[in-house]
């Protein structure tokens, strides 16, 4: 049989490589900006569009979906063609995929600073963009499976298993987590509420880390590590065990993000148990990668690409050991809501995803341009800047996290909180925030050097857009032949079966966690005194979401004495049954606000204080790093959609009385007038009832208010 | 582990089912892995390094 000649499509690989580099630098620049805002609010530049609450989701989206996303596609398009000995299935689909993904990112860059957000962490984009993501993801899958089906190589190398699992799981996570009912083109409400929304959100959030930041990169590691080391992977058997164990276990671990919350205990424990078990497959993968270098460690000294890979894998090992430790309830009690989590995330993101991406870029660009790296010295400089950047980032953040966690919990000998003013704990860690910004700047500088070096490399060569290759055609198996060899080859050679089995493995965890949480009524105990939001409170809540307040303020008081003394009664699931979406948050740069409207809470402040605080936070809280929100005071709220909002909420199960939407505007005006009058008469502050600040105050005063009564009768 | 799970109110059923499912998947994967021949493993592990020819197909031809 004759060999067949064909071409690899390097142009699409180049395009994704360019996008990776550009979006990477932009995302890191936004990261350094928000890191600076966290030690000096001056860097918010009094602009609503670049205030921390709006920029933070832009940073996470840019780094995850633009930088890492494009890197995944670059690596997959390069390795898949070579592993399958064929060109990509369709150049048109490749082009649609590339430009579609870039447009989605562009849409995020425009909408997030405008405050158009669903507020769901790592899934903030509004529903039309969500639909676009799903469609483009399908295009990617179509192209990938088309390529696999037209392959010349019978065996599906383990890297491709990881790509397939990534495709199916991300599709499942994205679609379920994005269930929402639109009010208009730019506004929607999550289909889930309160504790159920939190469970879905962190099932998605945790597994976005697992199946967007981990499994595709493990696939890339299994391809590029042997290529760079020029030796096969240490243990192919281990890679198989690693694959099935990892994808099965990862999906269950989401609830560890909700420890000590009002999520049912059984679900929390499930998350803890599976998180601990995750150490085994995670370390299996890391060791398999590192041991691939057995007998070739001397090459690491001279080859900067391998340095990036080794440190990247080591960061993966550290992050995947630390993750399960953080899932232990006693560790989580201190670490959750603090900078410790930020450090943990960045060891994974900067170390594992960042360094592997850099190594892959350095591997691919000279090859597709048929040249050598322009400056090996610059690659080494980049390596050291990136490594030092990670250290300067992570170490201060760990220090900051321990400091916060311990200060929040410290009592005096008299049994009083030692730091009753939350601000004291924030001021204590500002030097750490400065060092973190320095670390980020080092990392960004390294990335800029890389972009320059890659650009110069490309200039010295010429893109081989269609790289010639040849291979024997694949011989079709006679039906039944496969059973004669190994029964397990039934999966290994068949992408459809692999897809189905991967889907079953990842779906089981979600089903076991969701079905009882959604169907067993006792899991979400209702509280009769908790009422739906009034129209003005609902509008205030939407302003809170728009400004990204949940990025710095949690709304979940944990059942610790240190928290109940500071904030008031611990949170219960029944309080959030009308919260579409939930706003529990994951970080406390500022205090928890779940009891902000409960007059019995020490955290309660009157309308006048809130007005002054939003106008100039330092006037009420000296040294505060919160940005000012003058536009809330200057501008009228647009409440023209209140009728639609009430209607959508009712459709989602919020018990507004029939036709309430018809009088919602009237109710809104009445409540706004009351607050406006209070501010004028009691505080001497003249503010028109139409201003946005009035709605925000109404919302803040709703938080925890419904349980501020001794006669609260609960079904508990 | 069983003893620890017992202390978590209402969690026993979910945890035990989850652990059993995982154990099942793990055992199947381990058997699967061990049934593979050394020759096949070497062949698969070398796939990324096979730049020019797909040797398996060549052999079959």
């Amino acid at each position: 049989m004759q060999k067949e000649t064909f071409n690899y499509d390097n142009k699409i690989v180049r395009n994704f490589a360019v996008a990776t580099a550009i979006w990477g630098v932009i995302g890191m620049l936004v990261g350094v900006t928000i890191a600076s805002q966290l030690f000096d609010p001056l860097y918010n530049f009094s602009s609503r569009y670049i205030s921390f609450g709006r920029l933070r989701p832009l940073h996470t989206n840019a780094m995850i979906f633009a930088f890492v996303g494009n890197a995944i596609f670059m690596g997959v398009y390069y390795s898949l063609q070579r592993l399958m000995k064929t060109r990509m299935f369709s150049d048109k689909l490749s082009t649609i995929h590339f430009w579609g993904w870039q447009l989605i990112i562009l849409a995020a860059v425009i909408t997030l600073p405008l405050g158009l957000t669903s507020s769901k962490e790592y899934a903030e984009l509004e529903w039309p963009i969500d639909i676009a993501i799903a469609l483009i993801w399908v295009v990617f899958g179509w192209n990938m499976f088309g390529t696999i089906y037209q392959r010349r190589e019978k065996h599906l190398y383990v890297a491709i298993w990881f790509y397939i699992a990534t495709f199916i799981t991300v599709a499942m996570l994205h679609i379920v987590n994005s269930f929402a009912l639109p009010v208009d083109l730019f506004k929607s409400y999550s289909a889930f509420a309160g504790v159920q929304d939190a469970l879905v959100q962190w099932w998605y959030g945790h597994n976005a880390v697992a199946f967007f930041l981990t499994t595709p990169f493990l696939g890339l590691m299994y391809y590029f590590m042997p290529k760079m080391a020029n030796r096969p992977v240490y243990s192919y058997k281990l890679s198989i065990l690693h694959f099935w164990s990892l994808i099965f276990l990862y999906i269950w671990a989401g609830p560890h993000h909700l420890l000590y919350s009002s999520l049912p205990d059984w679900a929390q424990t499930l998350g803890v148990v599976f998180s601990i078990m995750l150490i085994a497959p995670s370390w299996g993968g890391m060791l398999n990668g590192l041991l691939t270098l057995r007998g070739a460690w001397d090459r690491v000294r001279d080859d900067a690409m391998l340095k990036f890979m080794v440190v990247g894998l080591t960061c993966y090992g550290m992050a995947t050991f630390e993750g399960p430790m953080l899932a232990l309830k006693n560790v989580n009690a201190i670490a959750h809501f603090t900078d410790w989590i930020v450090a943990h995330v960045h060891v994974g993101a900067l170390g594992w995803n960042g360094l592997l991406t850099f190594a892959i870029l350095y591997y691919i660009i000279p090859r597709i341009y048929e040249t050598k790296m322009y400056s090996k010295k610059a690659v080494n400089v980049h390596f050291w800047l990136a490594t030092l950047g990670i250290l300067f980032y992570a170490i201060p953040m760990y220090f900051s996290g321990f400091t916060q966690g311990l200060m929040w919990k410290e009592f005096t000998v008299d049994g009083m909180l030692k730091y009753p003013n939350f601000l004291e704990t924030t001021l204590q860690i500002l030097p750490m925030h400065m060092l973190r910004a320095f670390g980020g700047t080092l990392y960004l500088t390294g990335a800029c050097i890389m972009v320059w070096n890659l650009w110069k490399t490309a200039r010295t060569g010429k893109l081989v857009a269609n790289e010639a290759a040849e291979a024997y055609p694949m011989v079709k198996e006679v039906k039944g032949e496969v059973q004669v060899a190994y029964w397990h080859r039934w999966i290994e050679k068949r992408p459809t079966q692999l897809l189905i089995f991967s889907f079953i493995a990842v779906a089981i965890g979600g089903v076991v966690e969701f079905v009882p949480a959604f169907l067993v009524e006792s899991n979400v105990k209702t509280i009769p005194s908790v009422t739906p939001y009034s129209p003005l409170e609902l509008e205030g809540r939407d302003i809170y979401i728009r400004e990204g307040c949940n990025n710095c303020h949690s709304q979940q008081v944990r059942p610790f004495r240190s928290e109940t003394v500071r904030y008031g009664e611990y949170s219960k699931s029944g309080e959030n049954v009308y919260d579409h979406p939930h706003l529990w948050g994951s970080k406390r740069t500022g205090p928890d606000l779940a009891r902000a409207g409960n007059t019995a809470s020490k955290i309660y402040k009157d309308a006048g204080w809130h007005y002054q605080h939003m106008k100039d936070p330092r006037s009420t809280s000296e040294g505060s790093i919160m940005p000012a929100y003058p536009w809330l005071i200057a501008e009228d709220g647009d409440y023209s959609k209140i009728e639609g909002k009430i209607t959508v909420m009712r459709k989602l199960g919020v018990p507004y009385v029939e036709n309430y939407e018809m009088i919602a505007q009237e109710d809104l005006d009445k409540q706004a007038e009351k607050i406006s009058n209070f501010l004028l008469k009691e505080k001497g502050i003249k503010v028109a009832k139409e201003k946005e600040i009035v709605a925000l105050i109404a919302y803040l005063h709703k938080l925890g208010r419904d349980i501020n009564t001794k006669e609260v009768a609960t079904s508990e | 582990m069983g003893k620890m799970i017992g202390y978590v109110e209402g969690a026993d059923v979910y945890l035990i089912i989850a652990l059993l499912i995982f154990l099942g998947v793990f055992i199947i994967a381990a058997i699967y892995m061990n049934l593979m021949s050394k020759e096949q493993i070497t062949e698969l592990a070398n796939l990324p390094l096979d730049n020019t020819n797909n040797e398996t197909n060549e052999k079959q031809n």
Side-chain angles (χ1 to χ4, degrees):
Chain A
M1 193 178 280
Q2 289 286 310
K3 275 186 181 177
E4 292 174 343
T5 56
F6 58 96
N7 295 309
Y8 293 132
D9 181 5
N10 282 341
K11 195 177 163 196
I12 188 67
V13 177
R14 190 274 314 268
N15 290 348
F16 276 116
V18 171
T20 303
I22 292 173
W23 289 122
V25 168
I26 293 171
M28 289 171 211
L29 189 64
V30 177
V32 171
T33 307
I34 59 172
S36 307
Q37 290 172 342
L38 286 178
F39 64 82
D40 191 341
L42 189 73
Y43 294 106
N44 289 281
F45 298 106
S46 303
S47 165
R48 73 188 72 186
Y49 305 113
I50 55 167
S51 64
F52 181 85
R54 296 192 191 192
L55 274 196
R56 193 260 178 180
L58 180 64
H59 167 63
T60 52
N61 276 274
M63 293 316 290
I64 297 172
F65 301 109
F67 174 60
V68 172
N70 278 306
I72 292 169
F73 301 136
M74 166 187 69
V76 169
Y77 275 65
Y78 184 88
S79 60
L80 187 68
Q81 296 184 80
R82 284 152 181 86
L83 284 168
M84 297 287 86
K85 304 277 184 289
T86 185
R87 191 182 174 87
M88 286 308 295
F89 171 65
S90 161
D91 287 2
K92 267 189 190 157
L93 287 180
S94 298
T95 308
I96 294 169
H97 177 201
F98 175 76
W99 286 110
W101 197 255
Q102 308 319 310
L103 284 175
I104 286 165
I105 298 165
L106 198 63
V109 171
I110 294 167
T111 56
L112 291 174
L114 286 173
L116 303 172
T117 170
S118 70
S119 90
K120 287 195 156 196
E121 214 164 338
Y122 316 129
E124 287 89 351
L125 302 174
E126 265 299 350
W127 69 273
I129 309 174
D130 279 343
I131 291 174
I133 292 171
L135 291 174
I136 295 300
W137 194 253
V138 170
V139 167
F140 164 56
W142 181 4
N143 209 10
M144 180 169 77
F145 275 92
T147 308
I148 294 172
Y149 286 126
Q150 68 174 19
R151 69 192 187 275
R152 291 186 175 84
E153 172 57 60
K154 218 174 276 182
H155 298 287
L156 300 178
Y157 182 64
V158 68
I160 295 166
W161 300 21
F162 279 102
Y163 301 159
I164 290 173
T166 299
F167 168 71
I168 189 67
T169 315
V170 169
M172 175 183 78
L173 295 167
H174 174 71
I175 291 168
V176 175
N177 188 52
S178 301
F179 282 157
L181 215 51
V183 175
D184 63 17
L185 196 60
F186 303 112
K187 181 72 195 167
S188 64
Y189 290 123
S190 172
F192 314 105
V195 67
Q196 292 165 345
D197 189 51
L199 181 61
V200 173
Q201 153 63 31
W202 284 111
W203 168 77
Y204 164 88
H206 175 77
N207 290 301
V209 173
F211 288 89
F212 206 84
L213 302 178
T214 305
T215 54
F217 272 72
L218 285 168
L220 296 176
M221 185 274 288
Y222 275 119
Y223 177 79
F224 285 99
M225 189 61 143
K227 295 295 279 186
M228 290 175 192
N230 198 27
R231 57 192 58 227
V233 66
Y234 171 67
S235 168
Y236 196 80
K237 283 187 175 182
L238 180 57
S239 70
I240 296 167
L241 200 59
H242 169 210
F243 171 78
W244 288 109
S245 307
L246 191 93
I247 66 161
F248 184 86
L249 288 176
Y250 235 128
I251 208 86
W252 299 75
H256 72 210
H257 290 259
L258 299 168
L259 299 184
Y260 294 110
S261 72
S262 52
L263 184 74
D265 257 1
W266 64 262
Q268 294 186 32
T269 310
L270 207 56
V272 174
V273 172
F274 276 86
S275 301
I276 300 301
M277 290 201 288
L278 255 179
I279 296 178
S282 300
W283 274 53
M286 175 199 65
L287 292 173
N288 213 4
L290 288 177
L291 289 173
T292 299
L293 288 167
R294 73 205 178 283
W297 281 97
D298 55 307
R299 289 187 52 206
V300 178
R301 196 171 47 216
D302 307 317
D303 190 338
M305 266 185 323
L306 286 177
K307 283 182 197 164
F308 277 111
M309 293 297 276
V310 168
V311 178
L313 270 163
T314 310
C315 286
Y316 174 66
M318 289 193 293
T320 52
F321 178 76
E322 189 190 15
M325 294 303 106
L326 287 167
L328 291 171
K329 277 191 153 185
N330 46 357
V331 180
N332 192 274
I334 298 171
H336 196 50
F337 293 130
T338 74
D339 282 338
W340 188 345
I341 307 302
V342 183
H344 166 64
V345 167
H346 281 80
V347 168
L350 300 175
W352 165 241
N353 298 116
L355 298 191
L356 249 71
T357 298
F358 300 146
I360 294 168
L361 279 165
Y362 285 130
Y363 179 88
I364 287 178
I365 296 296
R367 279 166 180 79
I368 64 174
Y369 277 88
E370 260 188 340
T371 184
K372 288 184 175 175
M373 271 312 298
Y374 176 74
S375 168
K376 284 188 177 173
K377 200 176 171 183
V379 180
N380 270 303
V381 171
H382 177 200
F383 169 75
W384 286 110
L385 281 172
T387 307
L388 282 172
I390 294 169
L391 292 175
F392 269 99
Y393 190 108
I395 294 169
M397 282 292 95
Y398 282 119
F399 196 83
S400 172
F402 303 151
T403 308
Q404 281 179 311
L406 296 176
M407 285 179 85
W408 292 345
K409 286 180 176 296
E410 194 167 352
F411 281 90
T412 64
V413 286
D414 305 319
M416 309 292 281
L417 277 174
K418 188 167 181 186
Y419 304 100
N421 182 359
F422 188 94
L423 187 57
E424 280 181 277
T425 70
T426 306
L427 296 177
Q428 189 71 24
I429 58 172
L430 293 191
M432 301 301 121
H433 284 187
M434 287 177 201
L435 279 172
R436 179 259 295 271
F438 175 67
T441 308
L442 284 182
Y443 197 87
L444 170 64
T445 309
C448 292
I449 291 172
M450 177 195 73
V451 171
W452 166 81
N453 202 5
L454 292 177
W455 168 252
K456 295 294 263 184
T457 304
R459 292 285 298 271
T460 59
K462 188 171 185 297
L463 177 70
V464 185
N466 296 298
E467 185 183 327
E470 55 177 21
Y472 289 102
M474 192 167 80
V475 182
K476 293 256 187 237
E477 272 176 348
V478 180
K479 207 175 179 185
E481 188 193 313
V482 69
Q483 282 87 350
V484 181
Y486 300 97
W487 61 271
H488 41 81
R489 284 198 173 186
W490 184 73
I491 299 176
E492 187 188 291
K493 290 182 181 178
R494 286 167 169 72
T496 313
Q497 279 86 333
L498 195 57
L499 179 83
I500 294 167
F501 274 78
S502 300
F503 179 70
I504 292 170
V506 297
I508 291 171
V511 170
V512 173
E513 285 174 355
F514 289 169
V515 170
F518 281 72
L519 299 183
V520 180
E521 216 167 280
S522 62
N523 275 316
V524 184
K525 292 164 181 169
T526 53
I527 301 172
S529 61
V530 172
T531 56
Y533 294 104
S534 72
L536 188 67
E537 290 158 0
L538 189 61
E539 290 290 359
R541 193 172 199 265
D542 287 343
I543 292 169
Y544 185 94
I545 289 172
R546 184 189 74 194
E547 299 303 337
C549 305
N550 52 306
N551 287 296
C552 289
H553 296 279
S554 58
Q555 286 186 21
Q556 185 71 197
V557 180
R558 297 179 293 175
F560 301 138
R561 184 170 161 247
S562 58
E563 298 208 0
T564 52
V565 170
R566 186 184 298 278
Y567 300 114
E569 184 70 10
Y570 65 86
S571 297
K572 294 153 190 81
S573 55
E575 290 178 63
N576 304 116
V577 289
Y578 307 130
D579 287 2
H580 296 271
H582 79 289
L583 291 173
W584 292 0
S586 62
K587 179 73 175 54
R588 284 182 188 157
T589 304
D592 187 280
L593 296 179
R595 301 287 172 255
N598 188 327
T599 50
S601 167
K602 289 174 186 161
I603 210 86
Y604 178 84
K605 307 284 181 195
D606 67 27
W609 186 91
H610 282 301
Y611 177 90
Q612 293 296 349
H613 186 236
M614 300 306 290
K615 188 179 173 190
D616 177 15
R618 267 128 332 260
S619 69
T620 54
S621 317
E622 201 181 339
S624 167
I625 54 170
M626 182 168 139
Y629 292 85
W631 54 92
L632 299 183
I633 288 156
E635 291 178 10
D636 290 353
D638 174 13
Y639 305 138
S640 58
K641 297 184 189 83
I642 189 61
E643 199 178 313
K645 287 180 179 181
I646 297 285
T647 308
V648 166
M649 282 292 183
R650 188 192 295 109
K651 280 181 187 166
L652 291 172
V654 181
Y656 289 111
V657 293
E658 202 61 37
N659 295 325
Y660 179 66
E661 61 272 23
M662 311 303 284
I663 56 161
Q665 185 67 52
E666 199 182 315
D667 264 10
L668 187 149
D669 287 338
K670 273 185 205 163
Q671 192 181 0
E673 198 162 358
K674 209 172 152 189
I675 295 170
S676 174
N677 286 341
F678 171 86
L679 283 167
L680 184 64
K681 286 175 187 162
E682 304 292 327
K683 302 288 168 184
I685 299 168
K686 195 177 174 189
V687 56
K689 64 180 172 58
E690 293 82 12
K691 302 297 176 192
E692 288 188 325
I693 186 70
V694 175
L696 187 63
I697 291 170
Y699 170 62
L700 291 172
H701 278 174
K702 166 74 171 174
L703 295 174
R705 191 181 63 208
D706 291 345
I707 62 157
N708 184 17
T709 165
K710 285 179 184 168
E711 60 270 17
V712 168
T714 74
S715 61
E716 289 175 79
Chain B
M1 179 70 82
K3 205 174 174 188
M4 195 187 83
I5 290 166
Y7 286 113
V8 184
E9 197 189 345
D12 46 354
V13 175
Y14 300 110
L15 286 171
I16 289 167
I17 290 171
L19 286 171
L20 286 178
I21 294 169
F22 171 68
L23 207 63
V25 172
F26 187 82
I27 290 168
I28 290 168
I31 294 171
Y32 168 67
M33 191 186 78
N34 280 302
L35 278 175
M36 299 174 88
S37 70
K38 200 178 173 188
E39 188 191 336
Q40 189 197 354
I41 288 288
T42 312
E43 181 191 317
L44 293 172
N46 277 294
L47 281 176
L49 304 174
D50 179 18
N51 278 330
T52 49
N53 296 320
N54 38 354
E55 301 295 338
T56 322
N57 292 1
E58 189 184 8
K59 276 180 211 162
Q60 286 185 2
N61 293 322

